[in-house]
Amino acid sequence: MKVSQVCRNKRSLSFEIYPPKKDSELRNIDATLEVLSDLKPDFISVTFGAGGSSNCNRTIELAKKIKFKYGIEPVVHLTCLHYDRREIDGFAEVLKAEGIENVLALRGDARPDVPDKNDFRHSSDLISYMKSRNDFCFLGACYPECHPESSCVISDMKCLRKKVDAGAEVLLSQLFFDNEVFYRFIDKCRIADINVPVIPGVMPVINAAQIKRMVSICHASVPLKFQKIITRYEDRKDALFDAGMSYCLSQIIDLLTNNISGIHLYTMNNPVVAGRICEGIRNIV
Ligand code: FAD
């Protein structure tokens, strides 16, 4: 089923996982999927490592497993910066052959080891191109704290509007730690006449190194309340794990009480984390 259709009828619950690089990690994926499927999510999205067809194959293999073994709708992430039209057509054919209906269309990031191809400069180019040839439901990424390359919020919102005008029917957000940032972002979307569902992405943070990495990659601001928790518990692994879980759960509960379109949980393929969060919201979603 198309995610746009799901979002028309209900508030969605979804998860993100990534394809394991090593065969030894495959068992972990099944453990994670067992936990996640128990909560009957509306979809599970599978990330895409840009550059090279083996990355694409791993994403598609995992998406097939989600669809056929677990009976859950997969969303396949697809980046475009390193592919030309012919390669994108090839991916689209494979997705169609496997009955995959939902694509999170992304630009991806430049890589020093893989040359950019010049057919697609932005995710909106990918959506326009694929939409003219296929019948997928397209999702797009959005950034409550602005995409790091954007010169200002206004330019970022204009580009987001282009993405929606090109055919993105649902937006999935970058992670954030401050719900107020997300609520203000939704207001900006509506002012910019972006009226598609915007699903907040939430990540349970379980160790200090991960927090630092996320802040540097995603430029997510850390509210004082959360900063105090990190400072207090950063040297006590188990305590920080508990505190990170509780913070994430309280973020989710606040979002759910504020009429948002759904929850998208970044699981990091960690069945313990996923299990703990799922248990905490079992009767709420
Ligand atoms: P775009 O929408 O192209 O935006 C990139 C920049 O260009 C922004 O500054 C934007 O404002 C600007 N822009 C957009 N459209 C236009 C336009 N038409 N004209 C001029 N400027 C424009 N990366 C991966 O490699 N694999 C993944 O699986 C993956 N999954 C992700 C999932 C989510 C939910 C999110 C939020 C990000 C994900 N990313 C992934 C990271 C993503 O590839 C990077 O954030 C990348 O830098 C931007 O991708 P985008 O699709 O948002 O780009």
Side-chain angles (χ1 to χ4, degrees), residues 16 47-48 50 77 79 104-109 122-124 141-143 147 149-150 156 159 162-163 172-174 266:
E16 178 189 280
T47 67
F48 186 89
H77 297 206
T79 67
L104 172 57
L106 297 153
R107 183 197 67 178
D109 286 313
H122 293 288
S123 58
S124 50
C142 64
Y143 303 83
H147 186 270
E149 290 165 32
S150 289
D156 204 46
C159 293
K162 282 187 195 166
K163 201 181 297 201
L172 290 185
S173 95
Q174 180 63 281
Y266 294 108

Side-chain angles (χ1 to χ4, degrees), residues 43 72 100 103 172 196 239 248-249 264 278:
F43 63 93
I72 298 166
I100 288 165
V103 174
L172 290 185
V196 298
C248 182
L249 277 170
H264 188 60
C278 291

